[in-house]
Each structure stands twice: as structure tokens, then as C-alpha cells.
Amino acid sequence: MYEERFSRTAGATLWTRTADGTPQRVLPDGCTDLIVIGGELVVAGPDTRAHLATGLPGTRYLGLRFAPGRGPALLGVPADELRDQRVPLGALWSGREARVLAEQVVEADDPAEVLARIAADRQRTSPPPDPLVTALVPALRAGEPVAAVAAAAGLGERQLRRRCLTAFGYGPKTLARVLRMNRALRMARDGVPYATVAAAAGYADQAHLAREVKALAGVPLSELPVR
């Protein structure tokens, strides 16, 4: 079972998951997560393809998901160094600091609150995310062409790509594909017919939607839980 709750950390969502013994397909979403796994803090970088999360039945996971562009700034690591990776926090920060923080979370009466506090404290002392690049996310999510987005930001496409790699882990075109797929799946989960979803999300047709979902999610659209 997967659940989300409000987080006081700006641009982040707290979540919990209890494993049932079957792999969970985690789809690319442009986000970076800080996760408590087996008493250790682990960073899940932005994915370019689906990741299968496994665990023994009853195993509980706690995570803090940062919106696209926000996590790498807080962690102090360019997003492209975390792309498609699951990295112990101790490999990014000092090992001792990571162990102490993990102990604080695991031993707390409310681990979620402590995890959020740790992130909020770090956020106050870290450089802010690239404001120009993160401001582009709504436009890309809405389906604006990358060239138009770059022009509106006053950046060349190469400049935009470099800054996107640092902030998101991949270039704006890949980010746009990921955001478009998630927008399409949200509509499908609301019961919108696939052909209508394809047109509304900016795909050429339903076949294009199916190809993109298969490429990013690793399975056909019909095999994803959309209801």
C-alpha cells in the first residue's frame, strides 16, 4: 500500500509504502527521492525508465519526494550524477552524518516528521534550485515545445540542456516526455478513453501514446494500473 502526506519541506511530498512481496513498477517522473531503507538513508535519482522496487511482505518504506529540479540542489549533487541510480546518502554527504541522521529517523516516534525536518533544515542552508530552469517545468508539463520554452527563457537550446542536466538529470526533451506520460496516465486513471488522452496530452495518436508508455514504463499501457 502506498500513501502520501503533506510535508513542510518546500516542493516535497512525504510518502510511505508497505511491500506486499510483488515488485512495484516506479515510473519516471523527474523527481528525486530521499528514502529510508533498512535503517539507511538512500537517494533515488531521477529515472529515465521504470524501476522495479521489491521488498519482503510487510517491509515499510518512508520517503521524501522532491519535485523536479529541487532535490539535487538540496543534496548538493548535480542531478545527472544521480540519474537512474540508488545511492546511499553517506556516499554524497559524510558517512557519519548520514548514519546519525538515519538513526534519528529510525528511532523517532514519528519518523516522517523527523525526515521532513532534516530536509527542511538542509534546505535552509543549501543554495536554492536554479529558478530559471525550475520555472520551465509548468510549461513543459503543459506540452509547450522545447524550442519555444528555451526562447521564452532567453536561452539557447544547448544552454537550456546543460542547465536541465544539472537540475533534472536529463535534457528538456526527455523531461518533457516524462512529464507528458505522467499527465496522460493521470487522465487515464480518471477514466478518460485512451484516444482522448492521446489527443489531450499532445501525442500524434493513440499508437504514439502506446509507444511512449512502453518506452518509458517498460510495459504496454494496458498492463499499467490506470484505475
Side-chain angles (χ1 to χ4, degrees):
M1 178 182 293
Y2 173 85
E3 296 180 340
E4 294 184 352
R5 59 185 271 192
F6 170 79
S7 169
R8 63 180 177 179
T9 306
T13 300
L14 276 165
W15 59 267
T16 59
R17 182 174 75 88
T18 303
D20 61 6
T22 59
Q24 181 190 20
R25 187 172 296 275
V26 181
L27 302 183
D29 56 7
C31 298
T32 303
D33 292 64
L34 181 60
I35 310 172
V36 184
I37 302 177
E40 183 180 31
L41 288 171
V42 175
V43 174
D47 291 325
T48 58
R49 57 186 180 277
H51 170 76
L52 291 179
T54 59
L56 295 175
T59 302
R60 287 181 58 80
Y61 299 90
L62 168 66
L64 193 60
R65 174 171 299 113
F66 298 95
R70 291 185 175 271
L74 180 145
L75 295 166
V77 181
D80 54 335
E81 294 185 14
L82 302 171
R83 184 176 55 232
D84 293 319
Q85 301 292 318
R86 303 296 183 268
V87 182
L89 183 62
L92 307 179
W93 298 356
S94 77
R96 182 180 182 282
E97 180 184 13
R99 286 193 300 273
V100 169
L101 294 177
E103 290 171 1
Q104 291 176 3
V105 173
V106 172
E107 295 173 1
D109 292 333
D110 186 349
E113 178 65 20
V114 175
L115 182 64
R117 176 182 57 75
I118 289 170
D121 289 346
R122 181 81 177 193
Q123 201 170 53
R124 283 192 291 270
T125 59
S126 300
D130 183 340
L132 181 59
V133 175
T134 52
L136 304 179
V137 173
L140 292 174
R141 184 175 280 126
E144 292 290 334
V146 170
V149 169
L155 297 174
E157 290 194 52
R158 289 186 179 181
Q159 290 176 303
L160 179 63
R161 176 175 171 77
R162 284 196 299 270
R163 291 172 73 164
C164 283
L165 285 173
T166 299
F168 306 121
Y170 26 69
K173 291 183 179 179
T174 299
L175 178 63
R177 290 177 63 207
V178 166
L179 295 176
R180 180 173 60 178
M181 180 191 71
N182 281 277
R183 184 169 73 253
L185 291 178
R186 283 194 294 272
M187 286 188 283
R189 292 187 182 106
D190 288 338
V192 179
Y194 290 159
T196 304
V197 168
Y203 293 95
D205 50 30
Q206 187 173 332
H208 183 202
L209 166 65
R211 288 194 301 273
E212 281 289 277
V213 170
K214 178 67 179 295
L216 294 169
V219 294
L221 179 58
S222 59
E223 293 184 21
L224 290 174
V226 295
R227 297 286 183 179

